[in-house]
Amino acid sequence: MTGAMYSAIAGLKAHMNKLSVIGNNIANINTPAYKKAQTLFSEAIYTTLSAGSNGTTKVGGVNPSQVGYGVSIGSISMDMSTANFNADGDSMHCMIMGDGFFLTGQKPGAGTTANTLTETDAQNLELSRVGDFKFDSQGYLVDGRGNVIYGWVTSSGNETAGVIADADNPKTSGQLVPIRLPLMADGKNPSGVASGTAIYPGIETSGGMNVYPDTAWGLEPASIDSIAIDKATGKITGNMKDGGAPVVIGYIALANVANPSGVTRIDNGYYKAGEGSGKCTAVSIGGAVTAKVNNSAEADAESIHSAGTTTLQDGGLESSGTDLATEIAEMITTQRGYQANTRIITVTDSMLEELVNMKR
């Protein structure tokens, strides 16, 4: 009889965990890009009272007799399918139409050579489906929590930072870096460049890393307006406020994960590509960026891959993946399951009471 009680206790725990998942889904019904979770139960352990038999030439076979001891949580999985588009009119807000994640995190440290940044692996960055972007006071593209957004930026086309060598065919660097507005010449630095001119990072010939303007120059981010994000390529463009010259700031990168449902949730709507998710790589929307990874000059160097059919939709964010009608129905059945397990405990308690009172 105590086996029935322990089975019911296991059932209570499992249903409470499922109710916690349902509660979290409902709590995030208005959270942008929230991915709902689904709980599946699994049978727990069994005790075999008698083994099965295949039978003989004289007698038939028998099935095994087993008694189960409750239920456990089999899995709590995420539904990573794309939700509906929630338009808000903000041109800097983007939704991913298809698979993938935005790459976000902290700013990288300084590189081994002057005015460079360390190489960044997409596997070590945080992932997000919320595209609430803006440029901060330092010119970095950041999300609503202040984390920088990674991608590929326009290069000067030379080994040193400066103006674009070929304005009709701007070159994009293959180093994955935080997207930042080009800096603005102050009339003194770089030498010979007019004040107010946009200055772009160069690319090392040997290492392939971006070479940025010397921080000692104290250059400010360029003043750019009419900023737009191209839906098909993730290209960020704008116009210089002083003169209206067009500027290609860079391209937003997406993360391609082998198993999107295997990513691990962390705080504030971010994910990490850890165990279970497989390899995480940075890919280019629409295959717009075709440079070698980290601008490698090796003959067999890998090129930046395309994100396939995935595109962006600007002017809004992805809505929550929670379906309220489904969650309410799940809540009702979970409540009834919990209630039934409590009845098992009360019935078992009554039977134990009768057993104790047999001798009076």
Side-chain angles (χ1 to χ4, degrees), residues 213-237:
D214 194 330
T215 54
W217 293 349
L219 302 183
E220 295 292 329
S223 298
I224 298 176
D225 59 10
S226 303
I227 296 176
I229 301 174
D230 185 72
K231 296 184 289 185
T233 63
K235 179 170 68 174
I236 307 174
T237 58

Side-chain angles (χ1 to χ4, degrees), residues 189-269:
N189 295 300
S191 178
V193 179
S195 177
T197 304
I199 304 300
Y200 299 86
I203 300 176
E204 286 182 320
T205 302
S206 56
M209 299 293 100
N210 292 357
V211 180
Y212 292 87
D214 194 330
T215 54
W217 293 349
L219 302 183
E220 295 292 329
S223 298
I224 298 176
D225 59 10
S226 303
I227 296 176
I229 301 174
D230 185 72
K231 296 184 289 185
T233 63
K235 179 170 68 174
I236 307 174
T237 58
N239 295 307
M240 296 290 290
K241 288 184 178 180
D242 198 7
V247 174
V248 178
I249 300 166
Y251 293 80
I252 295 173
L254 292 184
N256 180 53
V257 181
N259 176 24
S261 297
V263 296
T264 302
R265 293 186 197 262
I266 54 179
D267 295 339
N268 299 316

Side-chain angles (χ1 to χ4, degrees), residues 56-71:
T56 66
T57 56
K58 294 184 178 180
V59 297
V62 294
N63 296 328
S65 298
Q66 295 177 295
V67 176
Y69 287 92
V71 65

Side-chain angles (χ1 to χ4, degrees), residues 114-265:
N115 303 317
T116 63
L117 299 176
T118 56
E119 182 180 329
T120 301
D121 187 351
Q123 194 83 34
N124 299 325
L125 295 175
E126 295 178 354
L127 312 177
S128 174
R129 292 277 300 187
V130 184
D132 54 340
F133 303 145
K134 65 178 180 180
F135 283 99
D136 68 6
S137 60
Q138 295 179 319
Y140 286 97
L141 183 66
V142 298
D143 63 14
R145 275 72 61 201
N147 285 326
V148 295
I149 305 300
Y150 278 74
W152 301 281
V153 296
T154 303
S155 165
S156 67
N158 296 314
E159 295 182 49
T160 58
V163 297
I164 295 178
D166 185 357
D168 295 327
N169 186 28
K171 184 177 181 180
T172 304
S173 170
Q175 183 184 3
L176 185 66
V177 295
I179 297 175
R180 191 183 187 187
L181 297 174
L183 299 181
M184 190 164 50
D186 60 4
K188 298 178 181 178
N189 295 300
S191 178
V193 179
S195 177
T197 304
I199 304 300
Y200 299 86
I203 300 176
E204 286 182 320
T205 302
S206 56
M209 299 293 100
N210 292 357
V211 180
Y212 292 87
D214 194 330
T215 54
W217 293 349
L219 302 183
E220 295 292 329
S223 298
I224 298 176
D225 59 10
S226 303
I227 296 176
I229 301 174
D230 185 72
K231 296 184 289 185
T233 63
K235 179 170 68 174
I236 307 174
T237 58
N239 295 307
M240 296 290 290
K241 288 184 178 180
D242 198 7
V247 174
V248 178
I249 300 166
Y251 293 80
I252 295 173
L254 292 184
N256 180 53
V257 181
N259 176 24
S261 297
V263 296
T264 302
R265 293 186 197 262

